[in-house]
Coordinates of all heavy atoms in Angstrom, one line a residue:
M234 N 171.0 31.5 131.6 CA 169.6 31.1 132.0 C 169.4 29.8 131.5 O 169.6 29.5 130.3 CB 168.6 32.2 131.5 CG 167.3 31.9 131.8 SD 166.1 33.2 131.2 CE 167.0 34.7 131.6
E235 N 168.9 28.9 132.3 CA 168.6 27.5 131.9 C 167.1 27.3 131.7 O 166.2 27.7 132.6 CB 169.1 26.6 133.0 CG 168.9 25.1 132.7 CD 169.3 24.2 133.8 OE1 169.8 24.7 134.8 OE2 169.3 23.0 133.6
F236 N 166.7 26.8 130.6 CA 165.4 26.4 130.3 C 165.2 24.9 130.4 O 166.0 24.2 129.7 CB 165.0 26.9 128.8 CG 164.9 28.4 128.7 CD1 166.0 29.1 128.5 CD2 163.7 29.0 128.9 CE1 165.9 30.5 128.4 CE2 163.6 30.4 128.8 CZ 164.7 31.1 128.5
I237 N 164.3 24.5 131.2 CA 164.1 23.0 131.4 C 162.8 22.6 130.8 O 161.7 23.2 131.1 CB 164.1 22.7 132.9 CG1 165.5 23.2 133.5 CG2 163.9 21.2 133.2 CD1 165.5 23.2 135.0
D238 N 162.9 21.5 130.0 CA 161.6 21.0 129.3 C 160.6 20.5 130.4 O 161.1 20.1 131.5 CB 161.9 19.9 128.4 CG 162.6 20.3 127.1 OD1 162.6 21.5 126.8 OD2 163.3 19.5 126.5
T239 N 159.4 20.6 130.1 CA 158.3 20.1 131.0 C 157.5 19.1 130.1 O 157.7 19.0 128.9 CB 157.4 21.2 131.4 OG1 156.6 21.7 130.3 CG2 158.1 22.3 132.1
P240 N 156.6 18.4 130.7 CA 155.7 17.4 129.9 C 155.0 18.2 128.8 O 154.6 17.6 127.8 CB 154.8 16.8 130.9 CG 155.6 16.9 132.2 CD 156.3 18.2 132.1
N241 N 154.7 19.5 129.0 CA 153.9 20.3 128.0 C 155.0 20.9 127.1 O 155.8 21.7 127.5 CB 153.1 21.4 128.7 CG 152.4 22.3 127.8 OD1 152.6 22.2 126.6 ND2 151.5 23.1 128.3
P242 N 154.9 20.6 125.8 CA 155.9 21.2 124.9 C 155.8 22.6 124.7 O 156.8 23.3 124.3 CB 155.6 20.4 123.5 CG 154.2 19.9 123.7 CD 154.0 19.7 125.1
N243 N 154.7 23.2 125.2 CA 154.6 24.7 125.1 C 155.0 25.4 126.4 O 154.9 26.6 126.5 CB 153.1 25.1 124.8 CG 152.8 24.7 123.4 OD1 153.6 24.9 122.5 ND2 151.6 24.2 123.2
S244 N 155.5 24.6 127.4 CA 156.0 25.2 128.6 C 157.4 24.8 128.9 O 157.8 23.7 128.6 CB 155.1 24.7 129.8 OG 153.8 25.2 129.6
K245 N 158.1 25.8 129.5 CA 159.5 25.5 130.0 C 159.6 26.1 131.4 O 159.0 27.1 131.7 CB 160.5 26.1 129.0 CG 160.6 25.3 127.7 CD 161.9 25.6 127.0 CE 161.9 24.9 125.6 NZ 162.3 23.6 125.7
K246 N 160.5 25.5 132.1 CA 160.8 26.0 133.5 C 162.1 26.7 133.5 O 163.0 26.3 132.8 CB 160.9 24.8 134.4 CG 161.1 25.1 135.9 CD 160.9 24.0 136.8 CE 162.0 23.0 136.9 NZ 161.8 22.0 137.9
I247 N 162.1 27.9 134.2 CA 163.3 28.7 134.3 C 163.7 28.7 135.8 O 162.8 29.1 136.6 CB 163.1 30.1 133.9 CG1 162.6 30.2 132.4 CG2 164.4 31.0 134.1 CD1 162.2 31.6 132.0
V248 N 164.8 28.2 136.2 CA 165.3 28.3 137.6 C 165.7 29.7 137.9 O 166.5 30.3 137.3 CB 166.5 27.3 137.8 CG1 166.9 27.4 139.2 CG2 166.0 25.9 137.4
I249 N 165.0 30.3 138.9 CA 165.2 31.6 139.2 C 164.7 31.9 140.7 O 163.6 31.3 141.0 CB 164.5 32.6 138.3 CG1 164.8 34.0 138.5 CG2 163.0 32.4 138.2 CD1 164.3 35.0 137.4
N250 N 165.5 32.6 141.4 CA 165.0 33.0 142.8 C 163.9 34.1 142.6 O 164.1 35.0 141.8 CB 166.1 33.5 143.7 CG 167.0 32.3 144.0 OD1 166.6 31.2 144.3 ND2 168.3 32.6 144.1
H251 N 162.8 34.0 143.4 CA 161.8 35.0 143.4 C 161.1 35.0 144.7 O 161.2 34.2 145.6 CB 160.8 34.7 142.2 CG 160.1 33.4 142.4 ND1 159.0 33.3 143.2 CD2 160.2 32.2 141.7 CE1 158.6 32.0 143.2 NE2 159.3 31.4 142.3
D252 N 160.3 36.1 144.8 CA 159.5 36.3 146.1 C 158.0 36.1 145.9 O 157.2 36.6 146.7 CB 159.8 37.7 146.6 CG 161.2 37.9 147.0 OD1 161.8 36.9 147.5 OD2 161.7 39.0 146.9
Y253 N 157.6 35.5 144.8 CA 156.2 35.4 144.5 C 155.6 34.2 145.3 O 156.4 33.3 145.7 CB 155.9 35.1 143.0 CG 156.5 36.2 142.1 CD1 157.6 36.0 141.3 CD2 155.9 37.5 142.2 CE1 158.1 37.1 140.5 CE2 156.4 38.5 141.4 CZ 157.5 38.4 140.6 OH 158.0 39.4 139.9
E254 N 154.3 34.3 145.5 CA 153.7 33.1 146.2 C 153.7 31.9 145.3 O 153.8 32.0 144.1 CB 152.2 33.5 146.4 CG 152.0 34.5 147.5 CD 150.5 34.7 147.8 OE1 149.8 33.7 147.8 OE2 150.1 35.9 148.0
L255 N 153.8 30.8 145.9 CA 153.8 29.5 145.1 C 152.5 29.3 144.5 O 151.5 29.6 145.0 CB 154.2 28.3 146.0 CG 155.6 28.4 146.7 CD1 155.9 27.2 147.5 CD2 156.7 28.7 145.7
A256 N 152.5 28.7 143.4 CA 151.3 28.3 142.6 C 150.5 29.5 142.2 O 149.3 29.5 142.2 CB 150.5 27.3 143.4
E257 N 151.2 30.6 141.8 CA 150.5 31.9 141.5 C 150.7 32.1 140.0 O 151.9 32.0 139.5 CB 151.1 33.0 142.2 CG 150.5 34.4 141.9 CD 151.2 35.5 142.6 OE1 152.2 35.3 143.4 OE2 150.6 36.7 142.5
Y258 N 149.6 32.4 139.3 CA 149.8 32.8 137.9 C 150.0 34.3 137.9 O 149.3 35.1 138.5 CB 148.5 32.6 137.1 CG 148.4 31.1 136.7 CD1 147.6 30.2 137.3 CD2 149.1 30.7 135.5 CE1 147.6 28.9 136.9 CE2 149.1 29.4 135.1 CZ 148.3 28.5 135.8 OH 148.2 27.2 135.4
L259 N 151.2 34.7 137.3 CA 151.6 36.1 137.3 C 150.9 36.8 136.1 O 150.9 36.3 135.0 CB 153.1 36.2 137.3 CG 153.9 35.5 138.4 CD1 155.3 35.6 138.2 CD2 153.4 35.9 139.8
D260 N 150.5 38.0 136.4 CA 150.0 38.8 135.3 C 150.2 40.3 135.6 O 150.7 40.6 136.7 CB 148.5 38.6 134.9 CG 147.6 38.8 136.1 OD1 147.8 39.8 136.9 OD2 146.6 38.1 136.2
I261 N 150.0 41.2 134.7 CA 150.3 42.6 134.8 C 149.5 43.1 136.0 O 150.0 44.0 136.8 CB 150.0 43.4 133.5 CG1 150.9 42.9 132.4 CG2 150.0 44.9 133.8 CD1 152.3 43.2 132.6
E262 N 148.3 42.7 136.2 CA 147.4 43.3 137.2 C 147.7 42.8 138.6 O 147.2 43.4 139.6 CB 145.9 42.9 136.9 CG 145.3 43.7 135.7 CD 145.8 43.1 134.4 OE1 145.9 41.8 134.3 OE2 146.0 43.8 133.4
N263 N 148.4 41.7 138.8 CA 148.4 41.1 140.2 C 149.7 41.5 141.0 O 150.1 40.9 141.9 CB 148.2 39.6 140.2 CG 149.5 38.9 139.7 OD1 150.4 39.4 139.2 ND2 149.4 37.5 139.8
G264 N 150.3 42.7 140.7 CA 151.3 43.2 141.6 C 152.5 43.7 140.9 O 152.6 43.7 139.6
K265 N 153.5 44.2 141.7 CA 154.7 44.7 141.2 C 155.6 43.5 140.8 O 155.7 42.6 141.6 CB 155.4 45.6 142.2 CG 154.6 46.8 142.5 CD 155.3 47.7 143.4 CE 154.5 49.0 143.7 NZ 155.1 49.9 144.7
H266 N 156.3 43.6 139.7 CA 157.2 42.6 139.3 C 158.6 43.1 138.9 O 158.7 44.3 138.7 CB 156.6 41.9 138.0 CG 155.2 41.4 138.2 ND1 154.9 40.4 139.0 CD2 154.1 41.8 137.6 CE1 153.6 40.1 139.0 NE2 153.1 41.0 138.1
S267 N 159.5 42.2 139.0 CA 160.9 42.6 138.5 C 160.8 43.0 137.0 O 159.8 42.7 136.3 CB 161.8 41.5 138.7 OG 161.6 40.5 137.8
S268 N 161.8 43.7 136.6 CA 161.8 44.2 135.2 C 161.8 42.9 134.3 O 161.3 42.9 133.2 CB 163.0 45.1 134.9 OG 164.2 44.4 135.2
F269 N 162.5 41.8 134.7 CA 162.6 40.6 133.9 C 161.2 40.0 133.8 O 160.8 39.6 132.7 CB 163.5 39.6 134.6 CG 163.5 38.2 133.9 CD1 164.1 38.2 132.6 CD2 163.1 37.1 134.5 CE1 164.1 36.9 131.9 CE2 163.1 35.9 133.8 CZ 163.6 35.8 132.5
V270 N 160.4 39.9 134.9 CA 159.1 39.3 134.9 C 158.2 40.2 134.0 O 157.4 39.7 133.2 CB 158.5 39.0 136.2 CG1 157.0 38.7 136.2 CG2 159.3 37.9 136.9
N271 N 158.3 41.5 134.2 CA 157.5 42.5 133.3 C 157.8 42.2 131.9 O 156.9 42.2 131.0 CB 157.8 43.9 133.7 CG 156.9 44.3 134.8 OD1 155.9 43.9 135.0 ND2 157.5 45.3 135.6
Y272 N 159.1 42.0 131.5 CA 159.5 41.7 130.2 C 158.8 40.4 129.7 O 158.2 40.4 128.6 CB 161.0 41.5 130.0 CG 161.4 41.2 128.6 CD1 161.5 42.2 127.6 CD2 161.7 39.9 128.3 CE1 161.9 41.9 126.3 CE2 162.1 39.6 127.0 CZ 162.1 40.5 126.0 OH 162.5 40.2 124.7
L273 N 158.8 39.4 130.5 CA 158.1 38.1 130.1 C 156.6 38.3 129.9 O 156.1 37.9 129.0 CB 158.3 37.1 131.2 CG 159.7 36.5 131.4 CD1 159.8 35.6 132.7 CD2 160.2 35.8 130.2
L274 N 156.0 39.1 130.8 CA 154.6 39.3 130.8 C 154.2 40.1 129.5 O 153.1 39.9 129.0 CB 154.1 40.0 132.0 CG 154.1 39.3 133.3 CD1 153.9 40.2 134.5 CD2 153.1 38.1 133.3
N275 N 155.1 41.0 129.0 CA 154.8 41.8 127.9 C 155.3 41.1 126.5 O 155.1 41.7 125.5 CB 155.4 43.1 128.1 CG 154.6 43.9 129.1 OD1 153.4 44.2 128.9 ND2 155.2 44.3 130.2
H276 N 155.9 40.0 126.6 CA 156.5 39.4 125.4 C 155.3 38.9 124.6 O 154.4 38.1 125.1 CB 157.5 38.2 125.8 CG 158.3 37.8 124.6 ND1 157.7 37.0 123.7 CD2 159.5 37.9 124.3 CE1 158.7 36.7 122.8 NE2 159.7 37.3 123.1
K277 N 155.3 39.1 123.3 CA 154.1 38.8 122.5 C 153.9 37.3 122.3 O 152.8 36.9 122.0 CB 154.2 39.5 121.1 CG 155.4 39.0 120.3 CD 155.4 39.7 119.0 CE 156.6 39.2 118.1 NZ 156.3 38.0 117.4
D278 N 154.9 36.5 122.6 CA 154.8 35.0 122.3 C 154.6 34.2 123.6 O 154.5 33.0 123.5 CB 156.1 34.5 121.7 CG 156.2 35.0 120.2 OD1 155.1 35.3 119.6 OD2 157.3 35.2 119.7
I279 N 154.5 34.9 124.8 CA 154.3 34.2 126.0 C 152.9 34.3 126.4 O 152.3 35.4 126.6 CB 155.3 34.7 127.1 CG1 156.7 34.4 126.7 CG2 155.0 34.1 128.4 CD1 157.8 34.8 127.6
K280 N 152.3 33.2 126.7 CA 150.9 33.1 127.1 C 150.7 33.4 128.6 O 149.8 34.1 129.0 CB 150.3 31.7 126.7 CG 148.9 31.5 127.0 CD 148.5 30.2 126.5 CE 147.0 29.9 126.7 NZ 146.6 28.6 126.2
N281 N 151.5 32.7 129.4 CA 151.4 32.9 130.9 C 152.6 32.5 131.6 O 153.5 31.8 131.1 CB 150.1 32.2 131.5 CG 150.1 30.7 131.3 OD1 151.1 30.1 131.7 ND2 149.1 30.1 130.8
I282 N 152.7 32.9 132.9 CA 153.8 32.6 133.8 C 153.2 32.0 135.1 O 152.3 32.6 135.6 CB 154.6 33.8 134.1 CG1 155.1 34.5 132.7 CG2 155.8 33.5 135.0 CD1 155.7 35.9 133.0
F283 N 153.8 30.9 135.6 CA 153.4 30.3 136.8 C 154.6 30.2 137.7 O 155.6 29.8 137.3 CB 152.8 28.9 136.5 CG 152.3 28.1 137.6 CD1 151.0 28.5 138.1 CD2 153.0 27.1 138.2 CE1 150.5 27.7 139.3 CE2 152.5 26.4 139.3 CZ 151.3 26.7 139.8
S284 N 154.4 30.5 139.0 CA 155.5 30.5 140.0 C 155.5 29.2 140.7 O 154.5 28.7 141.1 CB 155.4 31.7 140.9 OG 154.2 31.6 141.7
G285 N 156.7 28.7 140.9 CA 156.9 27.5 141.8 C 158.1 27.8 142.7 O 158.7 28.9 142.6
P286 N 158.5 26.9 143.5 CA 159.6 27.1 144.4 C 160.9 27.3 143.7 O 161.4 26.3 143.1 CB 159.6 25.9 145.4 CG 158.9 24.9 144.6 CD 157.9 25.6 143.7
D287 N 161.4 28.4 143.6 CA 162.7 28.7 143.0 C 162.7 28.5 141.5 O 163.7 28.3 140.9 CB 163.9 28.0 143.6 CG 164.1 28.4 145.1 OD1 164.0 29.6 145.4 OD2 164.4 27.5 145.9
F288 N 161.5 28.6 140.9 CA 161.4 28.5 139.4 C 160.2 29.3 138.9 O 159.2 29.5 139.7 CB 161.5 27.1 138.9 CG 160.2 26.3 139.2 CD1 159.1 26.3 138.3 CD2 160.2 25.5 140.3 CE1 158.0 25.6 138.6 CE2 159.1 24.8 140.6 CZ 158.0 24.8 139.7
L289 N 160.2 29.6 137.7 CA 159.0 30.1 137.0 C 158.7 29.2 135.8 O 159.7 28.7 135.2 CB 159.1 31.6 136.5 CG 159.4 32.6 137.5 CD1 159.7 34.0 136.8 CD2 158.2 32.8 138.5
T290 N 157.5 28.9 135.5 CA 157.2 28.1 134.3 C 156.5 29.1 133.4 O 155.6 29.8 133.7 CB 156.3 27.0 134.6 OG1 156.9 26.1 135.5 CG2 155.9 26.2 133.3
I291 N 157.1 29.2 132.1 CA 156.5 30.1 131.1 C 155.9 29.2 130.1 O 156.4 28.1 129.7 CB 157.5 31.0 130.5 CG1 158.7 30.3 129.9 CG2 158.0 32.1 131.5 CD1 159.6 31.3 129.1
T292 N 154.7 29.6 129.6 CA 154.1 28.9 128.6 C 153.9 29.8 127.4 O 153.5 31.0 127.5 CB 152.6 28.4 129.0 OG1 152.7 27.6 130.2 CG2 151.9 27.7 128.0
K293 N 154.3 29.3 126.3 CA 154.3 30.1 125.0 C 153.0 29.8 124.3 O 152.3 28.9 124.5 CB 155.5 29.7 124.1 CG 155.4 28.3 123.5 CD 156.5 28.1 122.5 CE 156.4 26.7 121.8 NZ 155.3 26.7 120.8
L294 N 152.7 30.8 123.3 CA 151.5 30.6 122.5 C 151.8 29.4 121.6 O 153.0 29.1 121.2 CB 151.3 31.8 121.6 CG 150.9 33.0 122.4 CD1 150.9 34.3 121.5 CD2 149.6 32.9 123.1
E295 N 150.8 28.7 121.1 CA 151.0 27.5 120.3 C 151.9 27.7 119.0 O 152.8 26.9 118.7 CB 149.6 27.0 119.9 CG 149.6 25.6 119.1 CD 149.9 24.4 120.0 OE1 149.5 24.5 121.1 OE2 150.4 23.5 119.4
K296 N 151.7 28.9 118.4 CA 152.3 29.2 117.2 C 153.8 29.7 117.3 O 154.6 29.8 116.4 CB 151.6 30.2 116.3 CG 151.4 31.5 117.0 CD 150.7 32.5 116.1 CE 150.5 33.8 116.8 NZ 151.6 34.5 117.4
A297 N 154.1 30.0 118.6 CA 155.4 30.7 118.9 C 156.6 29.6 118.8 O 156.3 28.4 118.9 CB 155.4 31.3 120.2
N298 N 157.8 30.1 118.6 CA 159.0 29.3 118.5 C 159.9 29.5 119.7 O 160.2 30.6 120.1 CB 159.7 29.7 117.2 CG 160.9 29.0 116.9 OD1 161.9 29.2 117.7 ND2 160.9 28.1 116.0
W299 N 160.2 28.4 120.4 CA 161.1 28.4 121.5 C 162.4 29.1 121.2 O 163.0 29.8 122.0 CB 161.3 27.1 122.2 CG 160.2 26.7 123.1 CD1 159.4 25.6 123.0 CD2 159.8 27.4 124.3 NE1 158.5 25.6 124.1 CE2 158.7 26.7 124.9 CE3 160.2 28.6 124.9 CZ2 158.1 27.1 126.0 CZ3 159.5 29.0 126.1 CH2 158.5 28.3 126.6
D300 N 163.0 28.8 120.1 CA 164.3 29.3 119.8 C 164.3 30.9 119.7 O 165.2 31.5 120.3 CB 164.8 28.8 118.4 CG 165.2 27.4 118.4 OD1 165.5 26.8 119.5 OD2 165.1 26.7 117.3
K301 N 163.2 31.4 119.2 CA 163.1 32.9 119.1 C 162.9 33.5 120.6 O 163.5 34.5 121.0 CB 162.0 33.3 118.2 CG 161.9 34.8 118.2 CD 160.7 35.3 117.4 CE 160.5 36.8 117.3 NZ 160.8 37.5 118.5
I302 N 162.0 32.8 121.4 CA 161.8 33.3 122.7 C 163.1 33.2 123.5 O 163.4 34.2 124.2 CB 160.7 32.5 123.4 CG1 159.3 32.7 122.7 CG2 160.6 32.8 124.9 CD1 158.2 31.8 123.1
I303 N 163.8 32.2 123.5 CA 165.0 32.0 124.2 C 166.0 33.0 123.8 O 166.7 33.7 124.7 CB 165.5 30.5 124.1 CG1 164.6 29.6 124.9 CG2 167.0 30.4 124.7 CD1 164.8 28.1 124.6
K304 N 166.1 33.3 122.5 CA 167.1 34.3 122.0 C 166.7 35.7 122.6 O 167.5 36.4 123.0 CB 167.2 34.3 120.5 CG 168.1 35.3 120.0 CD 168.2 35.4 118.5 CE 169.1 36.4 117.9 NZ 169.2 37.7 118.6
D305 N 165.4 36.0 122.5 CA 164.9 37.2 123.0 C 165.2 37.4 124.5 O 165.7 38.5 124.9 CB 163.4 37.4 122.8 CG 162.9 37.6 121.4 OD1 163.8 37.8 120.5 OD2 161.7 37.4 121.1
L306 N 165.0 36.4 125.2 CA 165.3 36.5 126.7 C 166.8 36.6 126.9 O 167.2 37.3 127.8 CB 164.7 35.3 127.4 CG 163.1 35.2 127.4 CD1 162.7 33.9 128.1 CD2 162.5 36.4 127.9
A307 N 167.6 35.9 126.2 CA 169.1 36.0 126.3 C 169.5 37.4 126.0 O 170.3 38.0 126.7 CB 169.8 35.0 125.5
D308 N 169.0 38.0 124.9 CA 169.3 39.3 124.5 C 168.9 40.3 125.6 O 169.7 41.3 125.9 CB 168.7 39.7 123.2 CG 169.3 39.0 122.0 OD1 170.3 38.4 122.1 OD2 168.7 39.1 120.9
Y309 N 167.7 40.2 126.2 CA 167.2 41.0 127.2 C 168.2 41.0 128.5 O 168.6 42.0 129.0 CB 165.8 40.7 127.6 CG 165.3 41.5 128.7 CD1 164.8 42.8 128.5 CD2 165.3 41.0 130.0 CE1 164.4 43.6 129.5 CE2 164.8 41.8 131.1 CZ 164.4 43.1 130.8 OH 163.9 43.9 131.9
T310 N 168.4 39.7 128.9 CA 169.2 39.6 130.1 C 170.6 40.1 129.9 O 171.3 40.5 130.9 CB 169.2 38.2 130.7 OG1 169.7 37.3 129.7 CG2 167.8 37.8 131.2
D311 N 171.2 40.0 128.7 CA 172.5 40.5 128.5 C 172.6 42.0 128.6 O 173.6 42.6 128.8 CB 173.0 40.2 127.0 CG 173.4 38.7 126.9 OD1 173.5 38.0 127.9 OD2 173.5 38.2 125.7
N312 N 171.4 42.7 128.5 CA 171.4 44.1 128.5 C 170.9 44.7 129.8 O 170.7 46.0 129.9 CB 170.5 44.7 127.4 CG 171.1 44.4 126.0 OD1 172.3 44.7 125.8 ND2 170.3 43.9 125.1
I313 N 170.7 43.9 130.8 CA 170.3 44.5 132.1 C 171.5 44.4 133.2 O 172.4 43.8 132.9 CB 169.0 43.8 132.7 CG1 169.2 42.2 132.8 CG2 167.8 44.1 131.9 CD1 168.1 41.6 133.6

C-alpha cells in the first residue's frame, strides 16, 4: 500500500480502486463499506476519509503519528 504525501501534513493519499462517489466524505452512517474502509473509519487516530478518483485521502488526528497508523494498516492488510 502506497501512502502519498499531500500539502496537508495530517493527510495522506492512498491509491486504491473503489466504487464511492467522487468528492464524498465517508463515514459509518453513509453506506456499506469494504472491510478495509470500515477499519479506517473505526481507527482511533483517523479523523476522516475523502474519496477521489482511484484514491482515498485519509486525515489523521493532529496528535496521531503516521508511522503508527501506517504500521496498523499494513498489519491489517497482511491479515485479510
Side-chain angles (χ1 to χ4, degrees):
M234 181 178 317
E235 181 181 6
F236 290 84
I237 301 168
D238 290 339
T239 70
N241 178 350
N243 291 323
S244 295
K245 289 194 184 282
K246 182 166 78 169
I247 303 172
V248 177
I249 185 171
N250 290 324
H251 62 76
D252 295 328
Y253 302 113
E254 291 185 37
L255 299 183
E257 178 181 9
Y258 280 99
L259 305 178
D260 60 36
I261 296 295
E262 289 80 35
N263 74 354
K265 295 182 180 179
H266 305 294
S267 69
S268 60
F269 176 67
V270 170
N271 276 329
Y272 178 79
L273 293 173
L274 290 169
N275 288 297
H276 193 285
K277 67 182 179 80
D278 291 330
I279 294 177
K280 182 177 179 179
N281 63 48
I282 305 169
F283 182 77
S284 64
D287 297 321
F288 70 88
L289 298 175
T290 298
I291 60 173
T292 302
K293 70 176 185 69
L294 297 173
E295 185 76 29
K296 64 178 176 54
N298 178 288
W299 275 122
D300 291 336
K301 181 183 180 323
I302 293 170
I303 291 169
K304 181 184 180 323
D305 289 349
L306 297 180
D308 291 347
Y309 176 79
T310 57
D311 285 347
N312 292 312
I313 56 172

